[in-house]
Amino acid sequence: EGGVSVVQAAPEQPSMELESKFTSAFEAFGCESSRTVEMLQQLQEGLDLHKEHQQKLVNYWLGQHQVMKGELELMLNMANAASEAESIGVAELQARFKQYMVMLEEHEEVEDRMLFPMLKSLFPQSAEDVDRVLDPERHKGVDMLNERVGRLLQQLHERHVNGEQMVLSAQEMRRVVEALEKLNDYMVGHIRYEEEVTMPWLKQTDPAIGKGGGGKPIAV
């Protein structure tokens, strides 16, 4: 009867613009999420590789120490055997000692110029420990004993080459043995101290310590 009819409005639909923005945001999020996961995987792989290289470095370094201790022990055994026989192949022992010196100098060069400075850079808290290992006084002891053995062998070798004495006396050989014994004992202690001080740092894998987040690492 003459009433006003009410027309119901249709439900509002999301505009195409909003829908497009939502889709773009979702796609962007998915893309960034994938990239984040990929980067985390790469970082984890890098950390795993770092740990692997770190362990190889430690093994290589310790292996060099074993080789040098083995060479010293071998030369000492050679000199002891010669002392009992009152003769020795001086040239052979001297050549062995020169080979040992080349190995030692190369090893110390790598330690002093690369390994230990890198350790101090990665773990600033290690500086005090590493500086004790690098103390020049410790190296003076090694140098003094090495020079004594080298000088003694050189003198005996020159006499042997000049034909002054083809067979060395037991007393002369005891001087060689005693010099090598002192060098061997000193080097064993020198290497042991070096390993005890630096190994906890060389095997450190906690990045917080390197960033000043803690004290010294626990030796394992």
Side-chain angles (χ1 to χ4, degrees):
E1 298 176 348
V4 179
S5 62
V6 178
V7 178
Q8 299 218 347
E12 286 190 13
Q13 298 293 328
S15 69
M16 293 296 293
E17 184 180 352
L18 288 175
E19 186 175 346
S20 176
K21 286 183 178 180
F22 175 79
T23 302
S24 298
F26 185 77
E27 290 176 349
F29 177 83
C31 183
E32 293 301 324
S33 179
S34 298
R35 289 177 180 173
T36 300
V37 171
E38 182 181 353
M39 289 184 68
L40 286 171
Q41 290 174 339
Q42 290 174 352
L43 285 171
Q44 185 59 54
E45 290 171 0
L47 289 172
D48 292 341
L49 184 62
H50 170 76
K51 291 177 182 177
E52 180 183 345
H53 287 175
Q54 185 177 6
Q55 187 58 52
K56 286 181 179 179
L57 172 64
V58 169
N59 292 341
Y60 176 69
W61 185 62
L62 294 178
Q64 285 190 326
H65 283 176
Q66 289 301 117
V67 169
M68 286 187 290
K69 288 191 290 187
E71 279 297 304
L72 282 170
E73 186 175 356
L74 176 62
M75 288 188 289
L76 183 57
N77 291 338
M78 289 170 62
N80 268 314
S83 175
E84 295 172 4
E86 297 190 5
S87 64
I88 188 174
V90 180
E92 181 182 357
L93 184 55
Q94 186 190 35
R96 198 99 199 184
F97 181 75
K98 286 182 177 180
Q99 178 182 336
Y100 153 78
M101 285 301 300
V102 170
M103 290 190 299
L104 177 62
E105 289 170 3
E106 181 179 331
H107 178 75
E108 290 184 337
E109 179 82 4
V110 171
E111 284 183 336
D112 295 352
R113 294 187 177 276
M114 298 179 68
L115 179 62
F116 294 147
M118 179 194 72
L119 200 59
K120 290 169 67 173
S121 176
L122 289 174
F123 304 104
Q125 300 92 324
S126 72
E128 183 179 344
D129 291 337
V130 174
D131 286 343
R132 288 205 311 272
V133 171
L134 292 172
D135 184 355
E137 292 301 318
R138 296 184 66 248
H139 288 277
K140 283 182 182 178
V142 174
D143 294 342
M144 181 183 67
L145 292 170
N146 280 326
E147 287 172 6
R148 183 169 186 272
V149 173
R151 184 170 60 251
L152 182 58
L153 287 174
Q154 181 63 29
Q155 290 171 352
L156 297 179
H157 178 62
E158 288 175 356
R159 287 176 54 195
H160 180 79
V161 169
N162 294 332
E164 296 177 18
Q165 188 171 346
M166 298 301 292
V167 178
L168 302 173
S169 68
Q171 182 179 1
E172 288 175 314
M173 283 312 308
R174 283 310 307 169
R175 290 172 60 201
V176 176
V177 170
E178 289 171 4
L180 282 169
E181 283 178 339
K182 288 181 180 179
L183 175 59
N184 183 69
D185 290 345
Y186 191 93
M187 282 301 296
V188 168
H190 180 90
I191 290 172
R192 181 174 59 247
Y193 176 79
E194 192 173 85
E195 291 178 358
E196 287 175 353
V197 171
T198 58
M199 276 300 295
W201 294 107
L202 284 170
K203 300 185 79 171
Q204 180 55 238
T205 57
D206 184 359
I209 291 181
K211 296 176 181 177
K216 294 184 178 181
I218 300 174
V220 291

